[in-house]
Amino acid sequence: MEQIKRSMKQADEAESGLNADIVRRWETGDRKPEPRYRKHLVLVFGMPAGELGLLSAEELALCPARLADSPAVANLFANEQLVDAVVKKVMLVMLGGDAEFGRNVFLKGMLGVSLTALLSNGVAAPDSVDALANEQRTRLDPRSIEAYSAITTSHRELYWSSPADTLLPSLSAHVQLGAGMLRSTSDAEGPLPRQLAAAVAESALLAARVNFFDLNRVDAAGLFFQLAEDAVVASQNHPLAVAVLAHRAFVPGFAGQEQPARDFLKAAHAHARYGAGPVLRSWLHCVDAEISARTGQLKASLAHIRSAEDALTAAGTNPVWLDYFDASRLDGFAGNTLLLAGQHRKAAARLEQAISGLAATGTKQRAVLLFDLAAAQARVDAAQALATAQQACDVVGRVPYATALQRVPEVRAALSTTPHVQELDDRVRALTSASGEV
């Protein structure tokens, strides 16, 4: 009884009124525990709700087969209130708050949240997820690392098809879960902790990208970027370090702060000397190009684009997680650089090439490219530029993406002396009002 009361208090639930008489009636079968008590019985006894006799025949029939096969995972979803509570708490933890959960409860809750994005999209939980549900002790369990890495891969794939604001809670929980696993073990050396640290770094980087590029939450992105950098140091994974450090350069670079951005890029280039494949090297030069263009170094920016083109033709092995860059994305970087350099016709040609080569999954990037193309077209054909910008707005209306909307001022400035600027303003105003953007 006292354990249940403590569990309820840790979950921020009101005083229960639970007493010995109520517990006695549960034990004798005179009455069933109320729903608010069920999840705490599951947590206290460490057994699935079905095995404790807490589920009715109808509830058992509704339990998904994949979860029913995994008691440890079924535990996590015994009551949706626990998952909801953890979703609310995870971001507080990331921001330095106190989760107010016991360690074991909180870790299991975070695993439940990290799996929600998979399960809601019809992606099966990893076969070894039972091992991940168990708290890591002195040494890491290889099966738990396998499961953690599999969830990381699923999140990466879901990024292209899931709304950012619904994927982020799962990502946040997954990062915190992995960080907790790393902290809880004294097995700091060897391939297993490095493998786990690499998966944590990749997950933290994806969470940072979602916050920064998709949602324009710069402060939250900074916290995840720092977690990614800490984890990548532990992973000793040079290609992943390139990705983390170069992504970090975007934050000061977008703010026009050249030196901090250059510091991150210098460190990224140092890691690139150790095993970075051609696609990663090309992307790194493109990041250099964008930072240079945004800080007024247009000649250097064009030189970096040429280096990116050369790098893409080289031989080498590319990391499997590098799914956000290819030849079409290189064209996009080049088009933006030419646009900022005032070479509008060349920019438009390169951007059209980027759009035609973009994969079907590149919806977010398509909006960015269309806005850039509209800005390039405006100097030649204002009506066509407006039509292109409206296409971009249609894309953002379907798939919100903050980075795309940040291109609007450039388009508006290019159309400012034409009668089409009011139409653009009206379209963007309707779009941002519908999405809640300010």
Side-chain angles (χ1 to χ4, degrees):
M1 181 179 69
E2 294 303 321
Q3 288 175 292
I4 294 171
K5 287 184 175 180
R6 282 196 298 270
S7 181
M8 295 184 77
K9 182 177 180 181
Q10 289 170 340
D12 274 346
E13 295 183 16
E15 177 61 38
S16 66
L18 185 65
N19 56 45
D21 183 59
I22 293 175
V23 173
R24 180 187 60 76
R25 295 174 69 184
W26 293 348
E27 293 172 342
T28 59
D30 289 341
R31 64 184 287 184
K32 289 276 190 181
E34 297 175 25
R36 61 174 174 162
Y37 296 127
R38 292 181 187 178
K39 67 176 179 291
H40 301 288
L41 287 165
V42 166
L43 295 168
V44 168
F45 288 99
M47 295 172 62
E51 292 184 17
L52 289 172
L54 300 176
L55 301 181
S56 66
E58 291 80 8
E59 289 171 324
L60 287 170
L62 291 173
C63 186
R66 183 65 187 83
L67 294 183
D69 291 340
S70 177
V73 178
N75 258 356
L76 303 173
F77 294 91
N79 190 301
E80 291 182 0
Q81 291 179 2
L82 174 62
V83 174
D84 291 341
V86 175
V87 169
K88 295 174 183 177
K89 292 291 186 181
V90 163
M91 289 310 296
L92 290 177
V93 172
M94 299 307 300
L95 296 172
D98 182 2
E100 299 179 6
F101 280 124
R103 177 175 176 77
N104 193 46
V105 174
F106 191 53
L107 290 177
K108 287 189 175 184
M110 283 192 293
L111 174 56
V113 179
S114 74
L115 288 171
T116 55
L118 278 65
L119 301 177
S120 63
N121 283 277
V123 179
D127 290 337
S128 51
V129 73
D130 287 355
L132 189 55
N134 298 324
E135 185 176 358
Q136 305 296 299
R137 298 294 181 178
T138 304
R139 302 186 66 82
L140 293 169
D141 182 347
R143 293 179 65 247
S144 69
I145 298 175
E146 176 188 342
Y148 188 90
S149 300
I151 296 171
T152 297
T153 298
S154 294
H155 283 162
R156 182 208 315 149
E157 295 168 350
L158 287 171
Y159 171 74
W160 303 109
S161 59
S162 299
D165 55 355
T166 59
L167 179 61
L168 185 58
S170 287
L171 271 173
S172 303
H174 193 57
V175 172
Q176 195 69 7
L177 175 64
M181 292 169 65
L182 287 172
R183 288 193 299 266
S184 67
T185 178
S186 59
D187 185 16
E189 299 296 331
L192 289 180
R194 288 199 297 270
Q195 181 183 344
L196 174 60
V200 173
E202 183 185 337
S203 292
L205 177 58
L206 182 55
R209 286 170 53 202
V210 169
N211 274 292
F212 186 73
F213 294 108
D214 291 68
L215 303 173
N216 194 29
R217 298 173 181 170
V218 179
D219 291 342
L223 295 171
F224 283 106
F225 275 132
Q226 186 59 60
L227 281 170
E229 187 170 344
D230 292 343
V232 86
V233 169
S235 75
Q236 301 178 30
N237 186 316
H238 291 290
L240 194 52
V242 173
V244 171
L245 290 164
H247 271 101
R248 292 204 74 177
F250 280 121
V251 179
F254 275 34
Q257 300 170 0
E258 182 180 8
Q259 192 53 53
R262 287 285 162 218
D263 290 342
F264 284 124
L265 287 170
K266 181 179 180 180
H269 279 286
H271 282 282
R273 301 189 188 102
Y274 303 94
V279 174
L280 184 58
R281 288 179 181 275
S282 180
W283 173 77
L284 179 56
H285 283 299
C286 283
V287 177
D288 252 321
E290 179 152 358
I291 299 303
S292 295
R294 285 176 175 270
T295 54
Q297 311 295 319
L298 296 177
K299 187 176 293 187
S301 180
L302 292 170
H304 282 302
I305 291 296
R306 291 192 291 272
S307 296
E309 293 167 339
D310 293 340
L312 203 56
T313 64
T317 302
N318 300 306
V320 296
W321 43 259
L322 185 54
D323 60 353
Y324 48 82
F325 185 79
D326 55 17
S328 69
R329 304 299 180 93
L330 170 54
D331 287 329
F333 275 104
N336 181 254
T337 295
L338 290 165
L339 175 63
L340 294 175
Q343 301 181 29
H344 301 110
R345 292 185 183 275
K346 289 183 178 180
R350 201 69 187 263
L351 289 163
E352 288 171 350
Q353 185 174 329
I355 292 168
S356 65
L358 198 63
T361 55
T363 306
K364 299 172 183 178
Q365 189 63 23
R366 187 176 303 278
V368 174
L369 295 172
L370 285 168
F371 276 128
D372 281 352
L373 178 58
Q377 292 171 332
R379 271 74 176 182
V380 179
D381 188 340
Q384 181 59 54
L386 176 64
T388 301
Q390 289 175 331
Q391 290 181 50
C393 289
D394 290 341
V395 175
V396 176
R398 296 192 304 270
V399 183
Y401 192 50
T403 298
L405 289 176
Q406 290 168 0
R407 298 300 221 259
V408 170
E410 180 73 18
V411 182
R412 191 186 188 285
L415 291 173
S416 61
T417 59
T418 75
H420 301 294
V421 68
Q422 187 60 51
E423 292 180 72
L424 176 65
D425 287 346
D426 292 343
R427 182 70 177 86
V428 172
R429 188 178 300 111
L431 176 66
T432 54
S433 297
S435 64
E437 293 281 345
V438 179

